[in-house]
Amino acid sequence: MFFNFMDELRESGIGASFKEHLTLLEALDRDVIEQTPEAFYYLSRATFVKDEGMLDKFDQVFHKVFKGIMTDYGQNPVDIPEDWLKAVAEKFLTEEEMAEIESLGDWDKIMETLKERLAEQEKRHEGGSKWIGTGGKSPFGNSGYNPEGVRIGGESKHKRAIKVWEKREFKNLDNTKELGTRNIKMALRRLRRFAREGAQDQLDLDATIDGTAKQGWLDIHMRAERRNAVKLLLFLDVGGSMDPFIKLVEELFSAATAEFKNLEFFYFHNCLYEGVWKDNKRRWQERTKTWDVLHKYGHDYKVIFVGDAAMSPYEITHAGGSVEHMNEEAGVAWMKRVTDTYPATVWLNPVPEKQWGYSQSTKMMKELVNDRMYGLTLDGLDDAMRELSRKQGH
């Protein structure tokens, strides 16, 4: 079963190594956990999962491999593994509860009774204290309460049975899913380089202690706040085919604003040309020359383009190709100037990656950013931040 577990983990994309497998077996051999499926779930999750983006996949694999241990009884005629059922049993009972359990006899008697009732029961039962069903005080069934009860299908209301992996609490962390603001912030935090900047208004406790010990009197030292020193230029495609992605791009913008003190943003439409803007309502009245952007912000800035790259190829390759104005130079020239000025440049595309191959303009833009185009998912954004962290300015 454990080898099958490893195979399923690997199949799902979770890197389960043989060393981790041995670590899990050693932990079980040394009894580092209680003998319960719940404890085994948490132990194995801690052993195999190193990236929270894989937590939901782990829950799905665990359910697939071990679902028969507790949830299939009463659904199909099967032999009941008593060791597992015993592991599920609650250990803390009131005197009244103990008396009810003892009225059935010992554990073997309870298991024997359960098997008999599984074989005898022919119809649904609700309530009562004998038959396997829903509600009531029978030790068997679901949605009722019995301290040594074994849940037969259904959903737990009293949370006494252990099926924590079926809750799927980590769906929003799945690295194949689209992002929300929280996940975007988490991914952006890979792109951090801390430095102390600004006024010295924070107490430096270590330096104060050292100075006081050396001087013989209170020697207070202050220091500047520790901030993310990464500088970021954000170019956001707006309008047209980007309208369906407005909410996602807004979340990205909000997260980036919160994470980066040194952030500058500009809007463009489809392809970068000679002008960009900051206010979409005044895009024609208040434009910034792209040349001014390239001259104002140093080579150490990281650059992120956000857009679906969906346009006519002529908008990239030809002067006058823009659908909005007469561009004197082709978009390809401006894209090349950006990547030459800022070696750390990536493109985030909200369109699913499997669709990129159907768009000629997307393939062309991906080539213009040196193949550094990533999907706007947790996994894609994480890869983009790693790439930006590797690239160094001139």
Side-chain angles (χ1 to χ4, degrees):
M1 178 178 287
F2 288 139
F3 281 114
N4 181 45
F5 186 30
M6 286 186 62
D7 290 340
E8 293 290 347
L9 289 172
R10 290 169 177 169
E11 183 69 22
S12 73
I14 299 175
S17 69
F18 188 66
K19 181 178 179 180
E20 290 167 334
H21 173 67
L22 292 178
T23 298
L24 178 64
L25 293 181
E26 182 179 3
L28 293 174
D29 185 57
R30 296 190 179 187
D31 294 328
V32 300
I33 60 171
E34 295 179 1
Q35 297 299 313
T36 66
E38 181 180 16
F40 173 70
Y41 161 76
Y42 286 116
L43 174 64
S44 57
R45 193 180 78 180
T47 302
F48 292 113
V49 180
K50 303 300 187 294
D51 181 347
E52 66 176 5
M54 296 290 181
L55 286 171
D56 187 57
K57 291 182 179 179
F58 178 84
D59 284 356
Q60 294 178 64
V61 170
F62 196 94
H63 173 64
K64 178 180 179 181
V65 175
F66 297 107
K67 66 179 181 179
I69 292 173
M70 289 180 294
T71 62
D72 285 348
Y73 307 120
Q75 310 296 327
N76 300 299
V78 294
D79 291 331
I80 300 175
E82 296 185 11
D83 289 342
W84 277 95
L85 293 177
K86 288 180 180 179
V88 177
E90 300 281 348
K91 300 301 181 184
F92 303 99
L93 307 175
T94 65
E95 292 183 2
E96 185 180 63
E97 291 165 343
M98 284 291 292
E100 290 186 26
I101 291 297
E102 289 174 357
S103 67
L104 277 178
D106 60 13
W107 178 264
D108 292 335
K109 176 63 178 177
I110 293 175
M111 289 297 100
E112 181 183 344
T113 304
L114 172 61
K115 292 176 182 179
E116 290 175 356
R117 290 180 190 173
L118 283 173
E120 295 171 4
Q121 186 170 339
E122 296 180 354
K123 63 181 180 179
R124 178 181 175 86
H125 171 75
E126 294 189 9
S129 60
K130 178 180 179 182
W131 294 104
I132 300 167
T134 58
K137 294 183 179 180
S138 168
F140 319 113
N142 73 82
S143 300
Y145 182 80
N146 187 289
E148 293 287 350
V150 177
R151 181 148 56 87
I152 312 299
E155 295 297 326
S156 171
K157 290 184 179 179
H158 300 290
K159 301 187 185 300
R160 307 295 287 186
I162 300 165
K163 290 176 67 177
V164 293
W165 49 89
E166 287 188 358
K167 294 178 183 178
R168 300 280 307 280
E169 293 178 339
F170 305 102
K171 291 181 182 179
N172 65 324
L173 295 178
D174 189 336
N175 58 12
T176 64
K177 304 296 182 183
E178 290 186 351
L179 295 166
T181 303
R182 175 183 177 274
N183 289 336
I184 292 174
K185 286 184 177 181
M186 292 171 57
L188 289 176
R189 285 171 187 169
R190 285 197 178 278
L191 188 61
R192 291 188 292 186
R193 186 180 69 248
F194 287 113
R196 298 198 177 276
E197 302 174 340
Q200 295 187 342
D201 54 4
Q202 289 189 342
L203 176 65
D204 187 337
L205 183 59
D206 291 338
T208 298
I209 293 174
D210 290 341
T212 299
K214 292 178 181 177
Q215 300 294 340
W217 63 79
L218 182 60
D219 185 16
I220 296 177
H221 290 255
M222 305 297 290
R223 62 185 178 186
E225 183 181 356
R226 191 169 179 255
R227 298 178 182 272
N228 188 355
V230 169
K231 301 174 183 178
L232 187 64
L233 274 175
L234 194 60
F235 291 97
L236 304 167
D237 184 7
V238 292
S241 58
M242 281 297 292
D243 286 347
F245 307 111
I246 288 176
K247 183 177 183 294
L248 183 58
V249 175
E250 285 179 344
E251 290 175 343
L252 174 64
F253 180 69
S254 174
T257 302
E259 289 298 318
F260 299 98
K261 176 187 177 184
N262 300 310
L263 169 68
E264 294 292 340
F265 73 93
F266 298 95
Y267 295 111
F268 69 100
H269 179 61
N270 282 358
C271 187
L272 185 69
Y273 296 114
E274 72 279 356
V276 291
W277 58 93
K278 283 182 171 288
D279 186 346
N280 285 305
K281 293 180 180 179
R282 302 185 60 82
R283 58 185 297 185
W284 299 111
Q285 294 81 14
E286 298 178 1
R287 296 173 72 89
T288 301
K289 294 181 179 180
T290 306
W291 269 125
D292 291 344
V293 175
L294 300 181
H295 290 150
K296 180 176 180 179
Y297 303 103
H299 303 310
D300 57 338
Y301 270 78
K302 315 285 187 181
V303 174
I304 298 177
F305 283 92
V306 182
D308 59 0
M311 68 197 89
S312 166
Y314 291 105
E315 293 183 67
I316 302 173
T317 59
H318 286 67
S322 170
V323 295
E324 292 193 321
H325 73 294
M326 176 59 192
N327 55 300
E328 296 184 357
E329 291 184 279
V332 62
W334 288 106
M335 288 301 301
K336 189 174 187 306
R337 286 169 184 149
V338 170
T339 56
D340 286 345
T341 303
Y342 305 105
T345 296
V346 298
W347 187 294
L348 298 176
N349 194 331
V351 175
E353 187 171 354
K354 62 183 179 182
Q355 299 179 21
W356 296 355
Y358 300 109
S359 168
Q360 183 62 29
S361 61
T362 301
K363 292 188 288 185
M364 293 169 62
M365 196 61 74
K366 185 172 185 286
E367 184 177 347
L368 286 173
V369 293
N370 301 311
D371 288 328
R372 297 197 293 267
M373 182 179 283
Y374 303 92
L376 198 44
T377 63
L378 180 60
D379 199 32
L381 188 51
D382 189 60
D383 288 342
M385 295 307 102
R386 291 178 186 275
E387 176 65 28
L388 288 178
S389 297
R390 284 197 294 267
K391 298 297 177 180
Q392 302 296 321
H394 294 315

